[in-house]
Amino acid sequence: MALRPDEPHDRPVAAQASLAAPSGTVVIPPAQVRRSLRSTDLDQVVMTTSIEKIFKMATANSMWPFGFGLACCAMEMIAMISSARYDVARFGSEVVRATPRQSDLMIVSGRVSHKMAEPIRQLYEQMLEPKYVMAMGACSSTGGMFSNYAVLQGVDKIVPVDVYVPGCPPRPEAVMEGLMVLQERIKSGIPSASQQQETQS
Amino acid sequence: MSDVLQINSPTWGALDTDAADRIQAALGADAIERRVEFRGELTLDLPIDRYIEVCTFLRDEEQYDLLSDVTVVDYLGYTGEVAGYWGGDGRDINRDSHSGKRIIPDPAGPKRFGVSATFAKVMTVTDGNHRRLRVRVWVDEGESVPSLVPVYPSADFHEREGFDMMGIDFAGHPNLRRIIMPEDWGGHPQRKDYPVGGEPVQFSDEV
Amino acid sequence: MAATEKKTVVWPQQDILQPVPSELWPSSDNPDLLEINLGPNHPSTHGVLRVVTTLDGEVVVGVKCEVGYVHTGIEKNIEQKTYWKAIPYVPRMDYLSFFSGETAFCMATEKALELEVPRRAEWIRVIFQELARLHSHLVFLGTGSVDLGGIALLFYCFRARDEVLDLFEMACGARMHPRYCQVGGVAEDLPKGFEKRCREVISFMRDQIDQYYELIGANPIWLARTVGVGVMSPDFAIKMGMTGPNLRASGVPYDLRSANGGYGGYRELGYTPVTKETGDVDARFRVRIDEMSASLDLIEKALDGLPEGPVITDDRKVALPPRHELHTSMESLIHHFKLVTEGFEVPAGEVYAPIESARGEFGFHLISDGSAKPWRVRLHGPAFVLLQSFAKLCEGVYLADLIAILASIDPVLGDVDR
């Protein structure tokens, strides 16, 4: 039976009992392997798409974060990036660049004070399009528990934000969920917040 | 010291009233205006003009080698009736816990700001007998306090913070400028008449 | 306590500390000096620290630290809240050894209240303070080695950090900033299976520490970059107010866990400070790795002898009554109501109760006015103090050494800026 393109190629099919094998292993008879590649049905060997779709897939699956840790949330962000448990490399995002000019995603992790607001804006301006911003944590989303003179009540007052990840600090899995939400947004064609802001103004 | 105090901060050691006596013996009885003992801690209130002299004596004769920190406290409204918050122009976002005081405390000192410095004996101890001592001076708005930096260099950042947050002028500080707030910030945020700030939360005013 | 011989701090040598103790000013008139900005966003700074360096070629001749980029106004916010509601603000200052922050605040409040904490709670606090110290030193080691170029250790340390945070999550519910410490004890008892898991983590960590030493202990590049760099004499350290592992790396055995017998559960457990003699970057790294081993020993000792009993004081004026009592006792209901709405009142006065966090002496000046809200809470943050000494240590070193020195001093900017 033909395998569809989205089914795994090495899905074990029914093993023949006559073949000698150690117990517990599943033997895939060679005749059924790579059936889809031997198929002459064009649908199963060629995927048609548009350039935009490929572009969006490439953008979404290789978001390079800008290493921008401010406070406690930065610890969880580093854990997400460089811990074996919450490996973000499987999303294509393990390339953390120190310079904004080579990164796509600015993860504002931590509380933003008024003194830091200007550097954040400068760094945001230095990023190249398409650029995305994730407000990680309660402090960068809304100011968090610090409703006072010192903390900017949400980083979206100075940069347009695509994804907000709540938590204090959010677990690394929550940040990855935010990353996945961002990836879905990109793949479905929603323009980034910076592009939306440009068209509005 | 009671058991609880010994458990919670043993590094204060026994009350160092001997040091206070020796200060008064060497520099005169008017070098210390008042001694306050609370929870096993000894605080010596000094007149401003004897501040540096007493601290130098503590450093040289009493071997208090570590300046732990220099704290500025604003006592504006301390004896008022509203708990923990003097009022001011800003919005008090915590109206739900805006409570009054049942016991009005005695005034802590004669003036608005108390600048206190805590000293510790670290290297120059015998028998592991670390001690601490606090001295304090009182100033009003606009008055200046002599800087401890020539005597204890580690007062540098602490006094800058005192200037930044409370507006105390430390005379003789080599680098007195804002450390925590932006350079062009106006006002001194931790004063009691400076508003807390922040954004009003929706629906907070409604019952 | 064994008698220590009386040492003296040599004060007249003040010239290196003038004119400004916390800044290094160039002494050469070379017109080709380059003033370059390190930060506030930089992969090598431990938080948002801005270091304005003046370079003569590759050699550092001037250093100025600019802080305040993560100022949060925590102290002002705490003045608006009751003591209980202020506890979540506190671990966010020193966000690496967060449990130490909570403990310090609770201890200061207990000192002002003269409240006795049950023995079991003291020992549990010891376990978690040591776990927080492990967490902080692991992050220090990981990011410190990244600063020096050895990225492998980052992955190892953060992997171990996850194991430690698992323990926090098991007992307290949250990985970081658990708000587990309460005034009067801890919030809840340790769950079943915690001790077993903790011992597994301890044996895992012991292997890991051996691995860290294998990675960096005899590595010639590491040693060339760290031995003899940024030497801090004990006199200089004391004059600049330094405490903690940086001071102990210079040979001064001052640790609040053992000073005058120690505080809290450390009084019964006992602790010997870990010191090194050389005072350079390498010594500061080694002190912290050895402190990790010592923490593991302490946790094991605490688990072995953990006493039974309540985990929070039964003084109903301060701690919430257990839920089942609310169904039967009217007084408990009233206490619960008053505690949650108004809070407990602390007698007027000023206390200062320091503890030993991963960075040094960590203490809260708590000034209360007799009401349910603190009048003024000032954190004596160790990082605030040790950042003062950073500039003078960088005289005449290469720029890469400046990064190494900054990494070894281990500042946390949340502590500095509050």
Side-chain angles (χ1 to χ4, degrees), chain B residues 2-14 38-41 43 59-60 63-79 82-86 92-94 96-106 116 118 120-132 134 136 149-158 160-161 165-166 173-175 177-183 188-196, chain C residues 1-9 11 14 17-23 25 64-69 71 75-77 79-82 85 106-108 110-117 122 125 234-235 237-243 247 252-254 256 259-265 267 338 341-343 345 347-355 361 365 367-376 378-381 384-385 387-388 416-418:
Chain B
S2 76
D3 275 343
V4 170
L5 302 181
Q6 272 188 321
I7 291 173
N8 265 353
S9 53
T11 46
W12 276 87
F38 181 72
R39 302 289 186 259
E41 302 183 7
T43 307
R59 184 190 79 179
D60 295 332
Q63 286 94 37
Y64 274 94
D65 44 6
L66 183 77
L67 171 65
S68 202
D69 68 344
V70 179
T71 310
V72 183
V73 184
D74 181 1
Y75 286 100
L76 183 67
Y78 188 70
T79 49
V82 174
Y85 172 56
W86 183 72
D92 181 7
I93 50 184
N94 301 294
D96 52 338
S97 52
H98 190 88
S99 53
K101 282 191 233 184
R102 265 184 263 144
I103 309 169
I104 309 286
D106 294 328
S116 59
T118 315
K121 284 197 205 196
V122 171
M123 267 174 75
T124 55
V125 296
T126 52
D127 296 322
N129 206 357
H130 302 276
R131 296 282 193 86
R132 278 175 201 260
R134 187 185 296 133
R136 184 165 52 189
V149 171
V151 183
Y152 283 96
S154 64
D156 186 356
F157 270 18
H158 296 296
R160 275 178 71 184
E161 191 199 347
M165 292 279 127
M166 293 283 195
H173 192 283
N175 190 22
R177 55 190 174 90
R178 287 194 182 267
I179 182 174
I180 289 184
M181 302 309 294
E183 294 284 333
H188 300 282
Q190 269 172 7
R191 289 190 172 185
K192 286 293 181 178
D193 48 359
Y194 192 94
V196 178
Chain C
M1 258 298 173
T4 54
E5 58 173 63
K6 191 164 173 181
K7 300 182 196 157
T8 47
V9 177
W11 283 101
Q14 296 254 50
L17 294 173
Q18 305 307 332
V20 179
S22 63
E23 289 178 8
W25 289 2
K64 268 197 226 188
C65 290
E66 302 283 337
V67 297
Y69 288 93
H71 176 58
E75 296 175 354
K76 185 114 183 155
N77 255 144
E79 290 169 16
Q80 318 293 322
K81 312 269 186 201
T82 61
K85 297 184 183 173
C106 293
M107 279 177 64
E110 285 151 15
K111 184 176 181 186
L113 284 169
E114 281 197 295
L115 184 73
E116 203 174 312
V117 176
E122 297 275 21
R125 279 183 183 177
D235 289 338
I238 293 278
K239 276 186 221 174
M240 297 305 287
M242 187 88 95
T243 51
L247 185 62
V252 181
Y254 181 59
L256 290 172
N260 289 356
Y263 62 90
R267 293 172 64 84
K338 291 296 266 181
T341 53
E342 191 184 297
E345 285 164 355
E350 179 173 356
V351 297
Y352 178 59
I355 68 161
E361 174 183 323
H365 267 282
I367 290 119
S368 67
D369 59 349
S371 73
K373 297 186 187 177
W375 182 258
R376 166 95 163 103
R378 189 198 180 224
L379 168 71
H380 167 83
F384 190 60
V385 176
L387 212 52
Q388 292 180 100
V416 175
D417 297 339
R418 279 163 266 130

Side-chain angles (χ1 to χ4, degrees), chain A residues 78-91:
Chain A
I78 302 176
M80 174 184 79
I81 290 171
S82 49
S83 164
R85 195 189 285 189
Y86 309 109
D87 179 23
V88 84
R90 46 198 165 133
F91 297 97

Side-chain angles (χ1 to χ4, degrees), chain A residues 66-86 98-100 110-117 119 123 139 145-151 168-173, chain C residues 40-43 47-48 66-74 76-77 81 88-89 91-93 95-96 135 139 143 154-156 158-159 161-163 165-166 169 173 175-177 197 413-415 418:
Chain A
F66 174 39
F68 195 65
L70 291 169
C72 355
C73 282
M75 298 299 124
E76 298 290 54
M77 183 180 75
I78 302 176
M80 174 184 79
I81 290 171
S82 49
S83 164
R85 195 189 285 189
Y86 309 109
T99 160
R111 47 211 190 232
V112 181
S113 72
H114 289 283
K115 205 166 172 181
M116 194 64 199
L123 292 165
C139 291
M145 62 166 67
F146 305 111
S147 180
N148 55 28
Y149 62 92
V151 170
C168 194
R171 292 185 62 107
E173 293 105 323
Chain C
N41 168 256
H42 194 276
V48 277
E66 302 283 337
V67 297
Y69 288 93
V70 76
H71 176 58
T72 324
I74 293 182
K76 185 114 183 155
N77 255 144
K81 312 269 186 201
Y89 283 95
R92 282 143 178 98
M93 294 200 214
Y95 45 81
L96 284 187
H135 171 262
V139 173
T143 52
L154 176 77
F155 295 99
Y156 288 4
F158 271 77
R159 189 221 158 174
R161 172 188 177 255
D162 272 330
E163 304 285 332
L165 287 182
D166 270 352
E169 195 186 358
R175 274 162 57 100
M176 281 177 77
H177 305 324
R197 180 88 191 116
L413 268 296
D415 207 355
R418 279 163 266 130

Side-chain angles (χ1 to χ4, degrees), chain C residues 118-130:
Chain C
R119 261 184 90 218
R120 188 176 168 87
E122 297 275 21
W123 286 50
I124 292 179
R125 279 183 183 177
V126 164
I127 293 177
F128 282 100
Q129 279 182 68
E130 293 307 313

Side-chain angles (χ1 to χ4, degrees), chain A:
Chain A
M1 86 203 131
L3 285 175
R4 295 196 309 276
D6 54 343
E7 281 181 354
H9 295 304
D10 51 352
R11 182 183 64 184
V13 291
Q16 292 176 5
S18 58
L19 284 175
S23 68
T25 57
V26 174
V27 177
I28 302 174
Q32 289 169 308
V33 165
R34 308 294 181 216
R35 180 171 286 252
S36 60
L37 280 185
R38 296 198 288 128
S39 158
T40 50
D41 203 351
L42 261 178
D43 277 344
Q44 293 180 4
V45 291
V46 174
M47 181 173 102
T48 55
T49 179
S50 62
I51 290 187
E52 282 91 16
K53 251 195 185 165
I54 284 283
F55 235 59
K56 292 185 172 74
M57 228 167 64
T59 313
N61 287 333
S62 75
M63 297 275 273
W64 290 3
F66 174 39
F68 195 65
L70 291 169
C72 355
C73 282
M75 298 299 124
E76 298 290 54
M77 183 180 75
I78 302 176
M80 174 184 79
I81 290 171
S82 49
S83 164
R85 195 189 285 189
Y86 309 109
D87 179 23
V88 84
R90 46 198 165 133
F91 297 97
S93 296
E94 84 273 21
V95 183
V96 178
R97 286 295 184 217
T99 160
R101 300 192 190 272
Q102 293 173 5
S103 50
D104 302 309
L105 171 68
M106 181 159 93
I107 304 183
V108 183
S109 55
R111 47 211 190 232
V112 181
S113 72
H114 289 283
K115 205 166 172 181
M116 194 64 199
E118 196 198 320
I120 290 185
R121 183 72 205 179
Q122 273 183 2
L123 292 165
Y124 176 75
E125 307 270 322
Q126 286 176 358
M127 285 168 75
L128 304 176
E129 291 284 349
K131 56 189 174 188
Y132 304 89
V133 175
M134 174 195 289
M136 173 184 172
C139 291
S140 53
S141 307
T142 58
M145 62 166 67
F146 305 111
S147 180
N148 55 28
Y149 62 92
V151 170
L152 202 61
Q153 302 293 301
V155 77
D156 53 3
K157 297 207 187 302
I158 46 173
V159 295
V161 174
D162 291 276
V163 182
Y164 298 86
V165 181
C168 194
R171 292 185 62 107
E173 293 105 323
V175 187
M176 284 199 299
E177 164 91 20
L179 189 62
M180 282 158 62
V181 162
L182 184 60
Q183 285 180 342
E184 293 303 315
R185 275 173 72 97
I186 297 172
K187 285 185 199 169
S188 63
I190 303 176
S192 76
S194 65
Q195 286 161 349
Q196 283 177 11
Q197 206 187 45
E198 270 174 28
T199 51
Q200 275 170 9
S201 58

